Amino acid sequence: MVRARATVRDLRRQNRSVLLSALFLDGPLSRQQLSAGTGLSAATASTITGELLDEGLVAEAGSVESDGGRPRVLLRVNPVFGHVIGVDVGETGIKVELFDLAMAKLSAVDLRLAAMEPEPVSALIAAGVGEVLAASGVAASSVLGVGVGVPGTVEQGTSAVVHAQTIGWDAVPLEKMIRSAGVEPPLFVENGAKTQGQAEMWFGAGRGARHAVIALVGSGVGIAVVSGGVVQRGATSNAGEWGHTTIVYGGRPCRCGSRGCLEAYAGAEAMLGRYREALGGKESALDEQSALGALLSSRSAVARRVVAESVGYLGAGIANLVNLFNPERVVLGGWAGLALGAGKLDEIVAATAEHALRHPFGQVRIELGRTGPDAVAVGAATLPLAVLLETGADPRSVRGLG
């Protein structure tokens, strides 16, 4: 008897999830469209949407003419049911953005990071959350969750722990530290490349693909591997450390302590480092993003050589992804990836072709990300939404508020 009740409850939750996902990703939709698109019966779709309307989670969004009958009411996830916050923890700054449930950005703040240490990072995240809430007039109690995209591997458990060797973080209890710094809503911590991957799969260049690799090139390098529509995390959430695959045996030292890693050649920090070395060690007064922009726009022979080499290394790295994962799509994102790809995508694709096996290369499309430089923050904001869509339940009730 208990098993039967659990089965009915699970089926009902699954049906809520299916309908909510359809409304969020493809809405507004009519009840008839929901039934046809999800495979649920008209009666089931009508019953569940009625419940969701009563709860305020779904709202009417106008109507469309039907064939000979009354106009059909359109439904969507209610934008004002709650809010979500996305945080992008970079190596030089932290971006915090607040969205409604239609993913309309309501407020945002960029904060400079003086030290990449857990305590100041946690404090700055809390300060940024407070700033976006104050700027928008949104109460913390209306926030379904705060998603945080970070460098390194995130060990998920009762509380997220971050391992980020390149920045000296070893088993940092970041979720607890952010909570202690004053953030009240539920917290969701994930690797930044994976949050970018989710943003591109939901809203950007990965949409519609079942097998994709979303590459993040910023100061460092990482990927999200999507297989069968699911982000692959590996045995300990360490899948996706593409930046620390070897591209040159015995090559340049990498921040991780190894040598010859892709990140030591294709990350923004590495590109600028190789450029400085070519100029005799001359330091730039510019910040990293401005310095990379200057490098990419320079017409000097040294700059062109460093950029051409970086294109080659990145293409060889993408070829490894093509050979290993046989994706339908490779999406190049991250602020440095977008900057490099804006003028060099054809060359990156050509370099990939030189190093990839012909057959898998012939099946893949390589393109730039469409969610822009905010992709990590946008993807982080979808982490609490993913709980809502996957369980059909408010993340505040699932994760708690304290």
Side-chain angles (χ1 to χ4, degrees), residues 16 85 87 97 150 166-168 189 198 202 231 237 264 271 278 295 310 325 347 393 400:
R16 281 174 64 97
I85 293 175
V87 180
E97 299 183 346
V150 297
T166 57
I167 57 174
V189 183
Q198 185 149 300
W202 281 22
V231 175
S237 296
M271 283 189 267
L295 169 62
S310 300
F325 299 112
E347 295 173 39

Side-chain angles (χ1 to χ4, degrees), residues 81-104:
F81 177 79
H83 301 83
V84 288
I85 293 175
V87 180
D88 175 4
V89 178
E91 296 188 30
T92 58
I94 293 175
K95 183 188 299 288
V96 183
E97 299 183 346
L98 172 71
F99 303 87
D100 65 17
L101 294 198
M103 292 307 292

Side-chain angles (χ1 to χ4, degrees), residues 18-87:
V18 167
L19 288 176
L20 279 171
S21 296
L23 287 172
F24 181 77
L25 295 172
D26 300 314
L29 297 169
S30 68
R31 289 174 177 82
Q32 290 83 354
Q33 289 171 317
L34 276 170
S35 176
T38 62
L40 297 176
S41 69
T44 298
S46 181
T47 298
I48 294 176
T49 54
E51 293 172 357
L52 293 171
L53 281 163
D54 290 343
E55 294 168 19
L57 185 49
V58 166
E60 294 185 355
S63 61
V64 292
E65 294 297 324
S66 62
D67 297 333
R70 292 186 303 173
R72 293 177 176 175
V73 175
L74 295 175
L75 304 173
R76 65 172 177 174
V77 172
N78 187 357
V80 298
F81 177 79
H83 301 83
V84 288
I85 293 175
V87 180

Side-chain angles (χ1 to χ4, degrees), residues 101-326:
L101 294 198
M103 292 307 292
K105 189 191 300 184
L106 303 181
S107 60
V109 63
D110 285 285
L111 304 169
R112 295 294 298 171
L113 187 58
M116 195 63 185
E117 298 293 335
E119 290 81 4
V121 167
S122 302
L124 210 56
I125 289 172
V129 168
E131 285 191 37
V132 295
L133 291 174
S136 62
V138 169
S141 60
S142 79
V143 178
L144 304 188
V146 177
V148 184
V150 297
T153 299
V154 180
E155 182 182 350
Q156 302 291 353
T158 55
S159 183
V161 174
V162 180
H163 306 268
Q165 191 169 322
T166 57
I167 57 174
W169 287 17
D170 183 17
V172 171
L174 189 66
E175 182 176 343
K176 289 182 178 178
M177 295 178 72
I178 297 170
R179 177 77 64 218
S180 296
V183 175
E184 297 175 9
L187 284 163
F188 302 81
V189 183
E190 183 57 279
N191 170 267
K194 291 183 175 67
T195 71
Q196 176 194 266
Q198 185 149 300
E200 289 292 345
M201 293 302 293
W202 281 22
F203 311 118
R207 191 168 166 84
R210 296 283 293 165
H211 302 277
V213 177
I214 317 297
L216 184 152
V217 181
S219 296
V221 176
I223 55 169
V225 179
V226 179
S227 179
V230 178
V231 175
Q232 302 302 303
R233 289 178 168 78
T236 59
S237 296
N238 209 58
E241 291 294 341
W242 177 49
H244 302 291
T245 57
T246 302
I247 199 79
V248 178
Y249 175 74
R252 293 172 58 85
C254 179
R255 300 184 299 172
C256 73
S258 187
R259 303 184 71 89
C261 296
L262 178 64
E263 187 169 294
Y265 292 87
E269 182 177 300
M271 283 189 267
L272 293 170
R274 290 190 293 112
Y275 185 46
R276 283 194 301 271
E277 290 172 12
L279 295 177
K282 183 180 178 181
E283 291 289 337
S284 170
L286 300 174
D287 63 83
E288 191 173 60
Q289 294 194 28
S290 299
L292 184 65
L295 169 62
L296 296 177
S297 63
S298 174
R299 301 186 62 83
S300 76
V302 173
R304 287 201 300 263
R305 175 174 60 80
V306 170
V307 171
E309 289 173 350
S310 300
V311 165
Y313 288 125
L314 185 57
I318 293 174
N320 288 339
L321 299 177
V322 171
N323 293 344
L324 282 169
F325 299 112
N326 187 206

